[in-house]
Amino acid sequence: MRHTAAKLFATLAIATSLATVAAGSALADPSVTPNAADVVGVGSDTTQAVLGQLSTDYNAFLTGKGDTTSPRLYSWDATGSSPITTKTGATSITRPNGSGAGISALNANTSATVNFARSSRAPQTGDLTTDDFVAFAKDGVSWAANSAGNAPANLTTADLAAIYTCSKTNWNQITDISGYTGPNATIKAYLPQINSGTRSFFLKAVGGGTAITPGACVQSYTPEENEGTDSVFTDSNALVPYSAAHYIGQVYGGHTTSTDAPGPLTVRNTDGVAPVTGTHTLNSSYTATAYGRVVYNVVRDGEWTGTGANPALKAIFGTTGWICTNATAKADIQSYGFQTLAVGACGSVTHL
Amino acid sequence: MSRTSVRLTVAAVAVAALSATAMSDSALAATTTTAPTGSLVIQEDSTFLKQAAANGIIAVALPNATAGYDAATGLSASFPVTGGSANLSGYYGNIQLGGGLLLVNLHTGKAAVFNNLAFSADNWAVTGVPLGESAPVSLLDPVGNTTVTKNAGVQLLTADDLEIDAAGAQYADTKLGTAFFTAGQHTGTATLTFTAGS
């Protein structure tokens, strides 16, 4: 009986492991030079790991069904050596680091170099009206601090706005959190680098829809987003915006690298709402607040619709495309901490 | 069932639908200062209409929805926004719609009425509550080339493919005693405009 039960559990375990996205190192740059016709993306740090996984699995999907001719999907990380030549025949470009830089690269080049930009922010003033933001998942932006530090478990939007505009610079000025008495210690508020979609989204959310301007007290050093391994975060007074989905992918999905890991940071609550559920998923109650956001892949409208459209883009990103309909793709999105979007919402387009 | 009894049944459910809708609308109006505005316009696909008619199926938009006809584009139905809140580009929230939807199978004399129509941004589907029931059923899904924008507070969703949801197809087929409806069936296009209340 025991042997039978053990075999049964072993079988179930194997089945479960096969059905689960492999944990371990987050995927990096393409391992081969993509062909000229392949679909190649750059940009957001927040979604680089999940796009790397989706690329691997999409290409395996095509190969698995004997398709040797359809364009493959590749995604270049936000950080690493620079410049990069994204595919055969491409112009060498400075590696785009972040959503804004990715969108700029999309706009400054042709499909011979960049086909899409990963973006963790929605369209904003300054983007081209011809940039189509194709939705593929939901995230929630929270804030993180050293697990052994002085920050409370929760901060209100008013607190965060005050901290990042410097009207509150000491933990003992945080007086609206029940059960928390802040020590007399100077807060060290960090923001990701200027092209970060997480940065721009966070500043807008904290400002109630209008981006706040960071005050002079905010640290001038801008760490790479979602990387708690930066040495500045050993400081017990540091805090920084953090993608809750990326955090879940790191901590519970096991998708980390030597630098792409939470280090001593833990994500905290905002306005009393936890971004992560007890079962280690993104909290729907959190993503339904101003801190919930949609993540996108941005394409040129002329290549998405009309006579000049590249059918490979919709085959991958469209409402009936692989990312929005394939079970493996959905498992990838969830394993990396994001929420999947409903049929029709995934693959829908927004733009200025 | 005779044609007369069919007409009586249709009239009865239509009146009931109107009553339910009126109650719903007045209740909502009492809870908002400035009511949200907008509409869901469904442009019906002529091929779908022909196929439906050939199978004895007719679909009627019930007041206070309005039906329209254009020689170039064919039949349409407009359902006014009556309440709710949603962030379409954030994919959450619920928009309540006025009017109802009546489906009749002329071959069997059976009918289905859906009230409390809404657009669920979370589920990305037009939903309706069957007459006499309480739980909404997903009826139609905006898919295909779908665009969501927001300008000056007006949220706009357009979809060039409005498909029948699997749950809606199953419910309608069962209720009408037909096998006409299938998941993913193209019914037309959809345009939803929504301006939040305050």
Side-chain angles (χ1 to χ4, degrees), chain B residues 94-107:
Chain B
N94 205 58
I95 297 171
Q96 289 142 19
L97 302 166
L101 185 63
L102 165 67
L103 302 175
V104 181
N105 184 344
L106 298 176
H107 293 165

Side-chain angles (χ1 to χ4, degrees), chain A residues 254-348:
Chain A
H255 304 300
T256 57
T257 67
S258 59
T259 56
D260 186 357
L265 298 182
T266 55
V267 294
R268 308 297 171 89
N269 301 353
T270 307
D271 294 328
V273 183
V276 182
T277 68
T279 54
H280 308 152
T281 59
L282 204 52
N283 186 354
S284 295
S285 296
Y286 194 84
T287 59
T289 70
Y291 294 92
R293 64 173 172 181
V294 177
V295 289
Y296 307 88
N297 293 300
V298 187
V299 299
R300 301 178 188 89
D301 185 67
E303 293 166 10
W304 184 252
T305 60
T307 55
N310 177 358
L313 293 178
K314 282 188 180 170
I316 297 168
F317 303 120
T319 52
T320 57
W322 185 82
I323 287 177
C324 294
T325 59
N326 185 274
T328 299
K330 290 181 180 178
D332 288 345
I333 289 168
Q334 290 170 336
S335 175
Y336 282 79
F338 297 90
Q339 289 174 336
T340 56
L341 292 171
V343 172
C346 180
S348 64

